[in-house]
Amino acid sequence: MTESSAPPPSRRPTGRDVARLAGVSQATVSLVFSGAEAGQRVSEATRERVREAARTLGYRPQAAGRQLRLGRSGMILLAVPNILGPFFGRVLVGVHEEAGKHGLAVVVSSGWGSATLAEAATTSRFDGLLLCSPDDSQLGALPADTPVVFLDADPALADPGTGRTRPTVELDVAGGMRAAVEHLTALGHRRIGHLRSTHSAYTFRVRQAAFEAATEGLEVLELGVTLNEGQRAARSAAHQLLSRQDRPRAVVCDDDVVASGLYQAAAELGLRIPADVSVVGIDNIPVADLLAPPLTTVDLPGEELGRTGVAALAALLRGEPVPPVAPLATGLVLRSSTRPAQ
């Protein structure tokens, strides 16, 4: 691709310009940006060459005409429990990356109950839905013909009307929780605290079950935290836990925001991390590496979750079957917030 192939700066680039720069026909350019199943007849190498030419020229396909032909809006909805939750920012990065490859725009929102989601699905505002970490209030009946992919959700979720399961991309949060507890027990801790979410989402039920299984035979102290109330609620619960005369010397937190609240409570109580209390979080959001000391935490691959979910949804929109997806691997990121028991 050469600079001389670009159109004059005063003119908006066209599909013909993209075709000339990529060395393909205009019909091929139309297929690549149609979002239709017919576009799959174009090889991946050619599609990428066309996209690269479009990026170089600043070309934007005429979405309105294309969507009218396809009977689609070109938009998908990503519904998350809390739009301010840092983990969902990681998911959104992956969703946007993959959506761009399929010519889809993303709308993200939170606080959607089952009735509102059903309405969104039937008004043609969105071509498909991504429901991330859904809670019980979002699991009502969605129209059977609505393309829906669940993220970080129960793979056994079934449509109440048809009994068929919906495509689901799951995280191995159980494996991550086991890794967190095993790390602490390997350091000699036998009394372990747990600041657990009171949220009804499947992901937190799995964390709780995995924690209980991993700590069988150990002494456990638990307190619930309302995650939607953020760091303030976490700090309050952590203050209660760490003020106990029999306080634990190691604590697992259901996410990194809760862990940051525990850091605040520990500082207020004059406790040092990890000298007085070891801490492990879950999520691996950016703040984990900024805490002092940096937080040992379970990495949940939010970006991969988003990319995989959009790829599955795009396949549904093309009318293709979506095979089951293996749970995405999680892993413990060792930093400086834990130490051997004394």
Side-chain angles (χ1 to χ4, degrees):
M1 298 182 186
T2 62
E3 190 174 346
S4 60
S5 302
S10 59
R11 180 170 65 82
R12 179 177 178 175
T14 66
R16 180 176 297 176
D17 298 319
V18 174
R20 185 182 302 115
L21 189 56
V24 299
S25 69
Q26 261 190 279
T28 298
V29 173
S30 296
L31 282 173
V32 170
F33 289 108
S34 70
E37 186 175 355
Q40 300 305 302
R41 296 201 302 264
V42 182
S43 72
E44 179 58 35
T46 300
R47 277 183 278 169
E48 182 53 37
R49 196 162 74 248
V50 170
R51 294 189 193 108
E52 176 61 26
R55 285 192 291 268
T56 299
L57 296 173
Y59 171 73
R60 296 291 182 270
Q62 294 293 322
R66 182 179 73 251
Q67 291 156 9
L68 183 62
R69 291 193 304 273
L70 298 173
R72 295 178 182 168
S73 69
M75 296 191 297
I76 59 175
L77 171 69
L78 170 64
V80 300
N82 180 1
I83 201 169
L84 299 179
F87 172 71
F88 300 117
R90 293 186 59 187
V91 176
L92 184 57
V93 167
V95 167
H96 273 303
E97 286 177 357
E98 189 67 22
K101 297 178 182 178
H102 300 279
L104 296 169
V106 181
V107 175
V108 60
S109 187
S110 62
W112 292 61
S114 60
T116 311
L117 287 170
E119 180 185 355
T122 56
T123 57
S124 300
R125 282 186 288 171
F126 304 105
D127 295 338
L129 310 179
L130 290 170
L131 269 59
C132 187
S133 307
D135 62 28
D136 293 343
S137 70
Q138 294 175 303
L139 300 182
L142 290 168
D145 60 348
T146 300
V148 178
V149 175
F150 290 107
L151 307 179
D152 189 24
D154 186 352
L157 284 175
D159 183 272
T162 65
R164 294 194 302 266
T165 57
R166 301 275 195 173
T168 302
V169 185
E170 187 183 11
L171 296 167
D172 184 17
V173 290
M177 179 60 84
R178 283 194 299 272
V181 174
E182 288 170 1
H183 170 63
L184 293 175
T185 57
L187 292 174
H189 293 284
R190 294 296 178 266
R191 296 184 72 253
I192 297 178
H194 183 204
L195 291 178
R196 58 176 178 80
S197 170
T198 58
H199 203 271
S200 65
Y202 168 79
T203 184
F204 293 112
R205 297 197 296 269
V206 170
R207 293 175 206 202
Q208 180 65 23
F211 178 83
E212 291 174 0
T215 56
E216 187 174 359
L218 302 178
E219 189 175 353
V220 172
L221 297 171
E222 290 189 282
L223 282 177
V225 180
T226 304
L227 296 189
N228 283 346
E229 295 182 9
Q231 194 176 38
R232 182 182 62 178
R235 184 178 67 178
S236 176
H239 206 285
Q240 292 180 52
L241 184 66
L242 298 180
S243 295
R244 295 173 58 118
Q245 194 169 17
D246 61 345
R247 65 176 172 81
R249 297 302 180 98
V251 180
V252 177
C253 300
D254 260 9
D255 73 11
D256 293 348
V257 173
V258 173
S260 68
L262 186 145
Y263 269 60
Q264 285 186 315
E268 291 167 359
L269 293 168
L271 299 175
R272 299 163 298 164
I273 298 172
D276 299 312
V277 58
S278 291
V279 186
V280 179
I282 296 178
D283 276 351
N284 197 29
I285 58 176
V287 72
D289 204 29
L290 300 177
L291 292 171
L295 176 67
T296 289
T297 186
V298 175
D299 179 61
L300 303 184
E303 296 85 355
E304 185 182 0
L305 181 70
R307 287 191 295 266
T308 306
V310 173
L313 185 57
L316 287 180
L317 294 177
R318 294 193 299 268
E320 300 173 2
V322 179
V325 178
L328 302 182
T330 59
L332 188 66
V333 180
L334 294 175
R335 294 194 178 100
S336 309
S337 62
T338 62
R339 62 169 290 171
Q342 293 179 323

